[in-house]
Amino acid sequence: MSSKYRNVKTTIDKIEFSSKKEAREYLRLKALQERGDITSLKCQVKFDFTISGKPLRFVDSNRVMHYIADFEYFDMYGNRKIVDVKGVKTRDYLIKKALMLACHGILVEEV
C-alpha cells in the first residue's frame, strides 16, 4: 500500500518503515553498527518540545507537540546523531526541525 507521497511501507527485522528509502537507510546504519563504526542505533525516537519548562501544545487541540526522528545513533567520536529520511520536506517537518534546534540544540540530519 502506498501513501499520499507514494511511499511503500517496508518491514525489516520486525520494524515497519514508512518507505523503502527509510528501510535502506536502516540497513546501511545497521551495517555500520555491526562494523563498530556507530553505536546505540535506535529507530522512531520521540522528542517532546518544551518552552519555559512547559510542553508546547497545538492551539486547536491542546495536544502536546512532538517530533519522531527516524534514527538516533552515536558516531565513532561519541557524537549523537539524529537522522530523518526525507523525500518531501513538508512545512510541518521544517517547523519541527527548527524546534529541535531551538528546544534541544539538535540539528536534524536529512538523508
Side-chain angles (χ1 to χ4, degrees):
M1 178 176 227
S2 65
S3 72
K4 65 181 175 180
Y5 298 114
R6 301 187 189 275
N7 294 337
V8 177
K9 291 192 181 222
T10 304
T11 302
I12 299 174
D13 294 340
K14 299 180 183 176
I15 303 167
E16 185 176 74
F17 297 98
S18 299
S19 67
K20 289 180 180 180
K21 184 177 179 182
E22 186 178 337
R24 282 192 305 269
E25 181 64 8
Y26 168 73
L27 289 174
R28 187 185 78 78
L29 292 172
K30 183 179 171 187
L32 289 175
Q33 181 166 264
E34 288 170 355
R35 280 197 337 224
D37 293 340
I38 68 169
T39 61
S40 304
L41 176 61
K42 293 180 188 172
C43 302
Q44 302 298 303
V45 182
K46 183 179 175 181
F47 293 88
D48 289 329
F49 301 116
T50 58
I51 296 176
S52 300
K54 295 181 182 178
L56 188 59
R57 296 180 177 274
F58 289 96
V59 175
D60 59 342
S61 65
N62 203 36
R63 290 180 304 120
V64 173
M65 187 182 291
H66 64 268
Y67 166 69
I68 299 177
D70 291 331
F71 303 104
E72 173 188 55
Y73 65 89
F74 290 86
D75 68 15
M76 65 179 67
Y77 305 105
N79 299 311
R80 182 184 192 193
K81 301 291 184 174
I82 304 299
V83 176
D84 206 289
V85 178
K86 282 288 160 223
V88 176
K89 294 180 188 177
T90 64
R91 187 180 70 165
D92 285 350
Y93 165 73
L94 294 172
I95 291 168
K96 289 180 178 184
K97 179 179 178 178
L99 284 168
M100 283 293 287
L101 188 56
C103 295
H104 296 287
I106 296 171
L107 180 61
V108 176
E109 296 179 20
E110 297 162 2
V111 185

